Amino acid sequence: MENIDIGKKVEKYRKAKGFSVRELARLAEITPSMLSQIERGLANPSIQTIKALAKSLEVPTFSFFIEETNTLDLVVRSNNRKKMVIDNLSYELVSPDFTGNLATAIMNFPPNTASSEKQMEHKGEEVAFVLVGKIKVFLDDEEYILESGDSVKIPAQMKHKWENNFNEHAAILFSVTPPAF
């Protein structure tokens, strides 16, 4: 909750409504001086004052307690991706992190490698898209060869495995929900 600035939120909602400090203070039954101090972060409002401000601004009381998202934290530059290597495969995280309900990464398969010896399963649903190369995907008892531009959806708990038994590099963009590695 360190990113929560109630005063800034009050000011934002007040300006969106077109209220002056005096108008909102009158509606919320507080002094203009107190409202000014709240907006500048110099005073902490009581719960009663927050409720009065929310009612006057016609916003839910909880809206003052929602953490702000720093949009800079949502951008991942191609040269700044988090990378990890597991056996012969490398993964580049396309999403900023593993928080939230979805993670997206690129799996890089050198020629003649596999994701594992046997088929694996996980609780998350997965969608994968072949960026470059060819790859063999095993889904339960079936196997498919996917080429650049092809995609596959892998339902939760379905046994699956990836295999690049071709002579070229393959890269797979995949998203999984919930994030699992």
Side-chain angles (χ1 to χ4, degrees):
M1 294 195 36
E2 62 195 43
N3 294 334
I4 296 174
D5 187 334
I6 292 173
K8 277 195 170 59
K9 288 179 183 251
V10 170
E11 181 181 29
K12 180 178 92 173
Y13 294 135
R14 175 181 61 77
K15 288 180 176 178
K17 285 281 191 187
F19 292 152
S20 68
V21 170
R22 288 191 183 282
E23 288 172 309
L24 179 56
R26 183 182 50 77
L27 290 169
E29 298 179 350
I30 61 174
T31 66
S33 172
M34 174 55 89
L35 178 55
S36 176
Q37 288 178 24
I38 291 168
E39 287 187 358
R40 291 182 293 141
L42 302 176
N44 291 318
S46 68
I47 294 296
Q48 281 309 113
T49 301
I50 291 171
K51 285 181 179 180
L53 288 167
K55 183 177 180 186
S56 301
L57 292 165
E58 298 175 329
V59 297
T61 303
F62 72 83
S63 64
F64 294 118
F65 299 101
I66 297 172
E67 256 187 277
E68 293 290 322
T69 300
N70 182 349
T71 57
L72 184 60
D73 294 339
L74 303 175
V75 175
V76 179
R77 302 285 179 200
S78 61
N79 62 342
N80 243 5
R81 290 187 193 128
K82 295 174 184 161
K83 296 178 182 169
M84 59 187 163
V85 177
I86 301 172
D87 297 324
N88 293 327
L89 303 181
S90 70
Y91 295 85
E92 296 178 48
L93 193 59
V94 176
S95 47
D97 51 39
F98 293 109
T99 63
N101 297 318
L102 176 73
T104 302
I106 298 171
M107 285 188 296
N108 290 292
F109 284 85
N112 302 307
T113 58
S115 59
S116 59
E117 286 189 32
K118 61 181 185 167
Q119 292 189 30
M120 315 260 307
E121 61 186 280
H122 47 77
K123 66 179 180 177
E125 170 173 88
E126 186 174 337
V127 173
F129 177 83
V130 181
L131 294 168
V132 295
K134 288 195 289 191
I135 195 87
K136 187 184 288 186
V137 62
F138 296 82
L139 303 172
D140 284 337
D141 297 327
E142 303 293 324
E143 60 183 76
Y144 302 90
I145 294 176
L146 304 178
E147 298 186 26
S148 181
D150 293 343
S151 60
V152 61
K153 177 181 176 182
I154 304 170
Q157 306 303 329
M158 178 172 278
K159 291 182 188 275
H160 62 286
K161 162 179 150 170
W162 300 91
E163 206 173 81
N164 181 2
N165 50 10
F166 304 101
N167 292 324
E168 58 185 290
H169 168 86
I172 315 301
L173 175 72
F174 73 95
S175 295
V176 63
T177 178
F181 253 95

